[in-house]
């Protein structure tokens, strides 16, 4: 029995010796090192998020052309003058919002280049940036389209129903909505900014605690 145990120990020592002699710096063990390193230092997150921002920014630039195509394809100019005017105003306001959103996304994308990845919590910083950027884009659409159509609702009764179809629900009164949309857009901006700063502050607390 002891001989069997002794042989097992010998085989174990031989196996460990062979394992130790294996070159762990070979390609078999290290070909994915650049990928894992990019995860550890946060490079993959900043670059990939930057690409997503660029793609969404380009989509915002293309959306007005799609809306224009759909309007022409549906013979919008054959509709009564009132609806044609509302469609033109909507297209102008929507195009402006897309243009501003394009600029916001490209500006925020450039912030990733100066992100200090050595401090850690890179994903947290990116999440905060995404939350803040989403709030900025949303507030632009809410303020511009909601306010413009609230003003038009003072002239055309169908303007308010047009905004309701688009998902821009006001208070029901055109005069009140002229004030309502800019204020709520500002509150949306503040809320998402607060949420982003809260995410960052939690990371700062964790960073200071770790010290």
């Amino acid at each position: 029995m002891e001989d069997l145990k002794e042989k097992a120990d010998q085989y174990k020592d031989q196996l460990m010796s062979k394992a130790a002699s294996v070159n762990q710096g070979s390609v078999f063990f290290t070909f994915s090192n650049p990928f894992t390193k990019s995860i550890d230092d946060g490079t993959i997150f900043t670059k990939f998020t930057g690409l997503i921002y660029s793609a969404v920014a380009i989509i915002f630039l293309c959306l007005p052309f799609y809306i224009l195509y759909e309007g022409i394809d549906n013979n919008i100019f054959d509709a009564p003058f009132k609806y044609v005017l509302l469609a033109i105003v909507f297209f102008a306001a929507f195009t402006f919002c897309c243009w501003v959103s394009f600029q916001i996304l490209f500006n925020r994308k450039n912030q990733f280049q100066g992100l200090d990845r050595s401090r850690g919590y890179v994903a947290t910083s990116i999440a905060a940036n995404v939350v803040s950027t989403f709030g900025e884009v949303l507030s632009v659409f809410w303020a511009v389209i909601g306010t413009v159509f609230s003003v038009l609702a003072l002239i055309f009764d169908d303007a308010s129903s047009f905004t309701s179809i688009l998902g821009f629900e006001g208070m029901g009164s055109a005069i009140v909505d002229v004030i309502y949309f800019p204020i709520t857009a500002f509150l949306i901006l503040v809320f998402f900014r607060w949420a982003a700063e809260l995410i960052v502050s939690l990371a700062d607390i964790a960073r200071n605690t770790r010290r």
Side-chain angles (χ1 to χ4, degrees), residues 7-17:
K7 288 184 179 180
D9 290 337
Q10 290 177 355
Y11 286 131
K12 180 181 177 182
D13 292 338
Q14 292 176 1
L15 182 63
M16 295 298 293
S17 177

Side-chain angles (χ1 to χ4, degrees), residues 3 12 70 83 86 92 103 135 141 143 171 190-191 201 207:
D3 292 340
K12 180 181 177 182
E70 285 292 328
Y83 296 109
L86 290 175
Q103 295 180 359
F141 277 88
M171 300 294 290
V190 170
F191 173 77
S201 65
R207 188 180 295 113

Side-chain angles (χ1 to χ4, degrees), residues 16-34:
M16 295 298 293
S17 177
K18 290 182 179 181
S21 64
V22 174
N23 181 15
Q24 297 185 6
S26 64
V27 176
F28 182 81
F29 290 97
T30 61
F31 77 93
S32 65
N33 279 357

Side-chain angles (χ1 to χ4, degrees), residues 27-77:
V27 176
F28 182 81
F29 290 97
T30 61
F31 77 93
S32 65
N33 279 357
F35 173 68
T36 54
K37 183 179 179 181
S38 67
I39 295 176
D40 292 336
D41 63 18
T43 305
I44 189 172
F45 301 115
T46 55
K47 288 186 176 180
F48 188 69
T49 307
L51 289 174
I52 293 176
Y53 273 35
S54 299
V56 175
I58 292 172
I59 290 173
F60 272 120
L61 279 185
C62 296
L63 274 177
F65 296 101
Y66 174 75
I67 295 296
L68 180 62
Y69 167 78
E70 285 292 328
I72 296 174
D73 188 56
N74 287 281
N75 302 316
I76 184 63
F77 294 107

Side-chain angles (χ1 to χ4, degrees), residues 47-182:
K47 288 186 176 180
F48 188 69
T49 307
L51 289 174
I52 293 176
Y53 273 35
S54 299
V56 175
I58 292 172
I59 290 173
F60 272 120
L61 279 185
C62 296
L63 274 177
F65 296 101
Y66 174 75
I67 295 296
L68 180 62
Y69 167 78
E70 285 292 328
I72 296 174
D73 188 56
N74 287 281
N75 302 316
I76 184 63
F77 294 107
D78 294 336
F81 173 76
K82 177 172 62 174
Y83 296 109
V84 174
L85 179 61
L86 290 175
I88 292 174
V89 172
F90 167 75
F91 178 75
F94 183 80
T95 301
F96 176 77
C97 291
C98 288
W99 184 25
V100 173
S101 299
F102 165 81
Q103 295 180 359
I104 290 173
L105 286 164
F106 256 82
N107 177 271
R108 297 298 178 256
K109 177 185 73 71
N110 294 332
Q111 290 182 350
F112 293 129
Q113 298 176 359
L115 187 64
D116 186 6
R117 296 191 293 268
S118 63
R119 300 179 62 193
Y121 300 99
V122 176
T124 303
S125 299
I126 293 175
N129 189 289
V130 170
V131 170
S132 178
T133 302
F134 177 78
E136 292 166 3
V137 172
L138 179 61
S139 63
V140 168
F141 277 88
W142 190 263
V144 174
I145 295 179
T147 304
V148 167
F149 275 87
S150 296
V151 173
L152 286 177
L154 297 173
I155 307 172
F156 303 107
D157 293 335
D158 293 323
S160 58
S161 60
F162 190 82
T163 54
S164 297
I165 294 173
L166 297 173
F168 293 83
E169 290 289 347
M171 300 294 290
S173 172
I175 298 177
V176 175
D177 287 346
V178 171
I179 302 173
Y180 167 78
F181 279 104

